[in-house]
Amino acid sequence: MRQVTDQTAQILERGSFETRLVCDVMHGSERVAADVPLTDWQWAEDLTAEVKSSGSATIIASDPFGRSLLAQGTAGIFSAFRASVVISQIISAGGYEERVQLGWGKVTENPRGEDTVVGDIVASSLVPIVWDGLDRVIHRHGFSSPETPPQRGSAWNEVRRISGRPIVQNVPDVVLPGGLVWEAKKGGRLAAVQKLAELLGGRMVLTARGELTVAPAQLGPVVGTLRLGAEGTITQIDTEIKTDGVYNRVVGIYEDSNRNPITVPPVEITSGPLAVGGPYGVYTEYHSSDAVRDRAAALKAMNAILENSVGGQNYQVQIQCVTDPRIQINDHIRVEGAGLSGRVLSVSRSAAALMTVKLEVPRVMR
């Protein structure tokens, strides 16, 4: 959860404030423009996406020398060939305000813009921009040829090496298994980073400061609360139940260190409402992992997949509420007045006063 002052937290919980979005424009490590107002903006975060954040906005700005600010190929401060943006949301009430940094983005598109010309000068430029999170930079980089980690002693060191980004080491380090090979393919470097995150026990995400860190798969403690009712900020809540991902049978496909198949029987649920012989039927998941190199590890991995699936059926709750810059993906949020809590899977914000939060909520099945 993004941190704010106590005063801002109280303002957000009352739900009565004004907000605006601004960005700093970066060319590499150089800040070329600061506090640029953004209009008609959208910002989305999705824990399940390959690139976990994206956004778009329109900039209306003037050059002090009366020149166009539209991107011209690789030229222009907002050009997708040069610009990154640091996005911040400003919360204000009365004479008080706080700036909350949401995250970094790499500008990927410059949709058609427009200049307003007065005489011989450009009075203002309307500049639309589209950006992705900085994980897009890792995705684009790729590997020139297949690579094996030069050392196996630290997954975090390997994340740092292949990503080139600063890290926040928030979970215990692990030794890498033998046989890992990073593929030379489109998106291969980001896939390697996510593989390392899996070994560390979660998904790799970017902090608001642009650092890589792990969003743990195990749900952590509640870090924030949204409230229903007259004193709350929730305006709508919808629930949906899906059986996708609720497996009752797991088949393992593994190889030992010599690339010989590891033979293990499927693991199954044989009693209760999700039994393979019951009305639910058979729902098979197939699992493989380079981290599994013997039969004991195979059975442990398969049972973990099965337990995670049927130990608690997850369902999704979509919430519309007053915008709150503190909330981010993988936060554990309690919904007061609804008797539930869950993991934030996605957050969608815009220039409107409301945002949409999707929670993954566990329902105990046995």
Side-chain angles (χ1 to χ4, degrees):
M1 198 170 194
R2 299 181 183 91
Q3 298 302 304
V4 298
T5 63
D6 291 343
Q7 186 172 352
T8 298
Q10 292 172 7
I11 290 169
L12 292 170
E13 287 161 12
R14 287 197 299 266
S16 180
F17 54 87
E18 295 181 349
T19 181
R20 65 187 190 276
L21 207 70
V22 299
C23 75
D24 292 349
V25 182
M26 310 293 293
H27 290 176
S29 60
E30 180 187 2
R31 180 180 284 103
V32 297
D35 294 330
V36 178
L38 301 177
T39 63
D40 297 328
W41 60 270
Q42 296 181 337
W43 171 276
E45 301 169 80
D46 187 340
L47 185 63
T48 65
E50 185 178 28
V51 174
K52 301 195 183 310
S53 66
S54 61
S56 64
T58 298
I59 296 166
I60 303 175
S62 301
D63 179 76
F65 301 102
R67 299 171 298 193
S68 173
L69 293 176
L70 298 179
Q72 303 291 333
T74 59
I77 64 171
F78 303 115
S79 170
F81 289 95
R82 309 176 72 185
S84 297
V85 287
V86 185
I87 309 294
S88 297
Q89 190 168 14
I90 297 175
I91 304 298
S92 58
Y96 172 84
E97 69 176 34
E98 182 175 355
R99 180 188 186 117
V100 184
Q101 187 165 309
L102 297 182
W104 282 66
K106 175 69 182 73
V107 178
T108 57
E109 295 181 37
N110 295 118
R112 183 178 178 179
E114 184 179 359
D115 287 328
T116 298
V117 180
V118 178
D120 295 330
I121 67 169
V122 176
S124 65
S125 298
L126 187 151
V127 186
I129 60 170
V130 177
W131 67 84
D132 279 343
L134 293 184
D135 28 3
R136 176 63 68 192
V137 177
I138 303 172
H139 181 276
R140 287 179 168 183
H141 189 176
F143 292 104
S144 301
S145 59
E147 288 188 17
T148 57
Q151 56 80 33
R152 292 173 49 198
S154 167
W156 279 113
N157 283 347
E158 183 66 358
V159 171
R160 185 184 290 108
R161 183 188 77 85
I162 66 175
S163 71
R165 297 214 57 78
I167 64 172
V168 175
Q169 190 168 328
N170 64 321
V171 297
D173 208 349
V174 298
V175 174
L176 299 180
L180 285 178
V181 178
W182 307 137
E183 296 184 64
K185 63 178 184 179
K186 185 175 182 180
R189 191 174 294 265
L190 183 57
V193 168
Q194 290 298 351
K195 177 62 180 179
L196 291 164
E198 178 187 334
L199 294 172
L200 288 163
R203 297 180 175 103
M204 200 67 70
V205 296
L206 283 150
T207 70
R209 296 181 299 276
E211 305 144 327
L212 286 173
T213 194
V214 168
Q218 184 173 352
L219 192 61
V222 171
V223 296
T225 300
L226 293 172
R227 293 178 174 85
L228 274 169
E231 301 299 321
T233 61
I234 295 175
T235 60
Q236 184 176 332
I237 182 167
D238 299 309
T239 301
E240 62 180 29
I241 296 176
K242 295 182 178 180
T243 59
D244 282 353
V246 185
Y247 312 110
N248 56 7
R249 183 173 184 262
V250 178
V251 173
I253 304 171
Y254 309 110
E255 294 179 337
D256 64 21
S257 56
N258 295 317
R259 298 296 183 185
N260 298 312
I262 301 172
T263 302
V264 287
V267 295
E268 300 175 337
I269 298 299
T270 57
S271 62
L274 297 184
V276 292
Y280 183 61
V282 180
Y283 191 171
T284 303
E285 167 69 333
Y286 297 87
H287 183 252
S288 61
S289 172
D290 292 333
V292 172
R293 292 304 185 196
D294 57 47
R295 193 173 189 275
L299 289 170
K300 182 179 178 180
M302 293 162 66
N303 278 293
I305 295 292
L306 191 65
E307 182 63 30
N308 185 61
S309 174
V310 304
Q313 180 192 5
N314 293 327
Y315 64 100
Q316 294 184 0
V317 174
Q318 184 163 292
I319 297 168
Q320 188 178 70
C321 60
V322 176
T323 191
D324 188 334
R326 296 174 298 175
I327 295 175
Q328 58 189 355
I329 51 176
N330 212 54
D331 282 348
H332 185 185
I333 299 295
R334 176 188 294 114
V335 183
E336 190 175 287
L340 59 86
S341 69
R343 184 194 311 271
V344 176
L345 288 183
S346 66
V347 185
S348 297
R349 298 178 171 88
S350 71
L354 301 178
M355 70 179 189
T356 301
V357 178
K358 184 176 286 187
L359 294 184
E360 180 183 66
V361 179
R363 174 182 285 127
V364 176
M365 295 294 292
R366 57 180 181 176

